[in-house]
Amino acid sequence: MVEALQSPEFIFNEATVRERWGLEPFLEGCAARGLSRASLWGEEVDKAGLEEARRMLSRTGISTFGFNRAGPLLAAGAAGRAECLDRARRAVDMAAELAADHVLVFSGGLAEGSRDLAGARAQTEDAIGALLDHARSVGMTLALEPLHPMVAGDRAVILSLSHANAICEQLGEGIGIVADAYHIWWDERLETELSRAGAAGRILGFHVSDWLVPTKHVLRDRGMMGDGIIDLAGMWRQVRAAGYDGPVEIEIFSDRWWAEDPDLVLDTALARCRSIFWGG
Amino acid sequence: MVEALQSPEFIFNEATVRERWGLEPFLEGCAARGLSRASLWGEEVDKAGLEEARRMLSRTGISTFGFNRAGPLLAAGAAGRAECLDRARRAVDMAAELAADHVLVFSGGLAEGSRDLAGARAQTEDAIGALLDHARSVGMTLALEPLHPMVAGDRAVILSLSHANAICEQLGEGIGIVADAYHIWWDERLETELSRAGAAGRILGFHVSDWLVPTKHVLRDRGMMGDGIIDLAGMWRQVRAAGYDGPVEIEIFSDRWWAEDPDLVLDTALARCRSIFWGG
C-alpha cells in the first residue's frame, strides 16, 4: 500500500492512440487498466456527438482531465482573429460541458506571409485575455502549454515556460501552465520556471513522451518514455517539488506508435511510466 | 556611394557549399564576387594542409573570419573530456595560424546513455574556461554560438543567447557570442539578449539562413534567406542597434542547396541578402 501511494496517477491523452481508436475504445482501454481520468480532443468528441461522449464517459467511469483545445487564435486580420476567438470560446464551453479540469490554449502560427513573431505574440496575449474573461464566466481554467521552439511561427508563438508564466502573472486567476516534458526539457530555465509556476499554484498538468535521437520529424516523432534522452524522473521531481500533485499525462505524437496496436501502446506506456516514475 | 556604404559586408561560411566545393574553389568563388573574408572549417583546411590553405588564402586575397570549430567538448569520463579539450586547443591554434577573427566553440551532446543535461552544461562551462586560458595565450577569441533547442542533448547544450551571455560574463575578456538567426530567432528574449551582448562588445558574428515551413530535417533543411519565416531584416536592425558592425555571414546547411551548382548558390544568396539587408 505504501508503494501504491507513492506511485503517481498515470493518464492518457487521446492523441496517443488517435490513428486507430475513436473515443469509445479509448475510454474503454483506459477503464480496463483501472484509470479514472483521460485527456480528450474536441474533434473526437465531435465525431461521437457531445451527448454520446458524455454517456461514454459516464459508462466507463472516466472523467475528463485536459481538453484539447481552444485555438488557433492567430489569423490574418482582425475579422479572422475574431472568428478564431469565437471558436475558442465554443471549445471552452465544450470543455465545461465535459467537466474538464482545464482547456489547452493553442496559439497557432504566423498568418500566411507574415514574419512578425513579436506582433503575433502580442495578438495571442490579447486573445488569451479575452478568452479568459469567457472561461471565468463558465468556470473553466485555461492552460498555456509552451511548445518546442522547432514549431515556432509554424504552430506556436508561446515557446517557453517563462513566457507562459509571464502571461499568467499578468492575467491573474483562472489560467495556468501545462509542462510538457517534450517541449521544455532543453530549457536552462526549467527548474526556475517550474518553481515560479508552482509557487503560484499554476501547474495544471505534466505531459510526458521522450526526445529521440535522431528526431526524424518535427511533429510526429516523439518517443516512448525511456527511449530518448529526457531525464523524465528528474523533471518529475522538479514538478513535484514545485507543488504539483496531479497526474502524469502520457501524450505521444508518433507515426511509429500510432501504427501499433493501441492496447500494446497503452500497456507499454504504463509499464515504462511505472518504471520511471514509481516512488519518484 | 551612399548606398554602397549602407550595405553590410556579406561573407560565406564554407559549409554552405561543402558538398561540391573544396577549399580552393570556395575561396576563388568568394574572391570572384569581390568578397574579402570567409569562414572556414578545420576539416577542409586539413584536407588541403595548413600551409597550402594559407597559400590559397593569400593568393585569393581572402582572410579568415570565423573558424569552425573547437569541440566537441563533451565526452564520457574525465579522460575523454581531457582528450576533447586537447583537440579543441589544437583547433584554437589552427584558428590562430589562419589569423581568424574568432573560433566557434561546439559543446557537442550528451555522452552515450546520459540524460544529465545540467551536468553536461556544467562540464561544458568548465571546459570553455580551460579553453579560454589557452585561447588568450595565443591571442584567439572564442565564440559561443547557441544552437537551436531541437539539437539539445544530441549536438549542443548551450541553447540560448541568455546562457551564452551568462558564460561570457562569468569568464570575462576574450570570449563572445555569434548570433545565428536560424538558431535563436524564436526566442522571446532575443532583443534583450542581443542588447546585453552588444553592450559588452561581445557580438562577434551574425549568421543567416532561413526557417522553412515545414522543416523536414533537424540539421540539413535550412532555407535560403527569404524562403522562410525569419524576420532577418528586423533581426539585423537589432544586431546593428546592439553595436555590431561586422559582416552578415551566410551559412546554409541544406541538402537542397548542397545539391545545386555552388556558383548558383553563392549568386542566389548574395542577391537575396542584398534585397533583404541593403540599407537595413
Side-chain angles (χ1 to χ4, degrees), chain A residues 3 23 29 58 73 90-91 118 128 143 169 191 223 250 255:
Chain A
E3 271 190 344
L23 182 58
S58 169
L73 301 172
R90 291 198 294 276
I128 292 170
E169 285 163 11
E191 188 161 15
I250 297 152
D255 287 330

Side-chain angles (χ1 to χ4, degrees), chain B residues 4-264:
Chain B
L5 287 173
Q6 287 180 328
S7 172
E9 177 189 356
F10 300 119
I11 69 171
F12 283 96
N13 184 297
E14 194 177 5
T16 305
V17 292
R18 71 178 186 194
E19 299 294 317
R20 296 186 58 175
W21 270 357
L23 183 57
E24 189 161 30
F26 169 66
L27 294 175
E28 287 170 349
C30 292
R33 286 159 182 86
L35 311 183
S36 57
R37 298 199 273 187
S39 289
L40 307 184
W41 285 73
E43 295 92 308
E44 295 300 319
V45 173
D46 283 337
K47 278 186 210 164
L50 179 60
E51 282 317 305
E52 182 55 29
R54 286 161 59 113
R55 278 191 290 271
M56 289 175 190
L57 286 160
S58 170
R59 191 163 62 236
T60 53
I62 302 286
S63 57
T64 312
F65 187 60
F67 179 79
N68 298 271
R69 59 196 180 183
L73 300 173
L74 288 166
R81 287 192 293 279
E83 202 176 299
C84 282
L85 188 54
D86 276 344
R87 271 198 301 271
R89 287 193 187 100
R90 290 198 296 274
V92 168
D93 293 341
M94 186 183 274
E97 295 269 10
L98 294 165
D101 181 80
H102 54 268
V103 56
L104 284 292
V105 176
F106 176 70
S107 73
L110 297 170
E112 184 71 26
S114 170
R115 293 186 175 92
D116 182 10
L117 194 57
R121 284 195 172 109
Q123 288 170 351
T124 299
E125 290 166 16
D126 287 348
I128 291 170
L131 189 62
L132 181 57
D133 290 338
H134 180 72
R136 284 173 178 153
S137 76
V138 298
M140 180 50 50
T141 302
L142 298 186
L144 303 183
E145 182 186 23
L147 299 191
H148 195 283
M150 76 181 166
V151 296
D154 178 18
R155 305 178 69 77
V157 300
I158 300 175
L159 308 163
S160 72
L161 274 180
S162 311
H163 185 204
N165 276 332
I167 295 172
C168 290
E169 285 164 10
Q170 191 174 342
L171 293 177
E173 293 304 301
I175 187 165
I177 63 99
V178 160
D180 184 313
Y182 191 80
H183 293 300
I184 61 175
W185 71 281
W186 56 272
D187 194 335
E188 75 272 6
R189 302 162 290 180
L190 182 60
E191 187 161 13
T192 302
E193 294 296 329
L194 287 172
S195 299
R196 176 181 172 189
R202 283 207 195 89
I203 305 180
L204 301 172
F206 176 56
H207 294 188
V208 298
S209 58
D210 212 336
W211 186 276
L212 298 178
V213 175
T215 286
K216 293 181 201 141
H217 192 283
V218 301
L219 299 176
R220 303 193 310 260
D221 194 29
R222 299 192 196 177
M224 181 62 69
M225 295 68 67
D227 286 347
I229 60 173
I230 303 178
D231 177 14
L232 291 166
M235 201 182 306
W236 177 237
R237 283 192 294 272
Q238 292 177 3
V239 168
R240 280 168 50 122
Y244 177 71
D245 63 358
V248 173
E249 177 172 334
I250 298 152
E251 183 186 42
I252 309 174
F253 285 70
S254 159
D255 286 331
R256 180 235 186 286
W257 289 102
W258 282 331
E260 293 280 0
D261 171 8
D263 279 307
L264 174 74

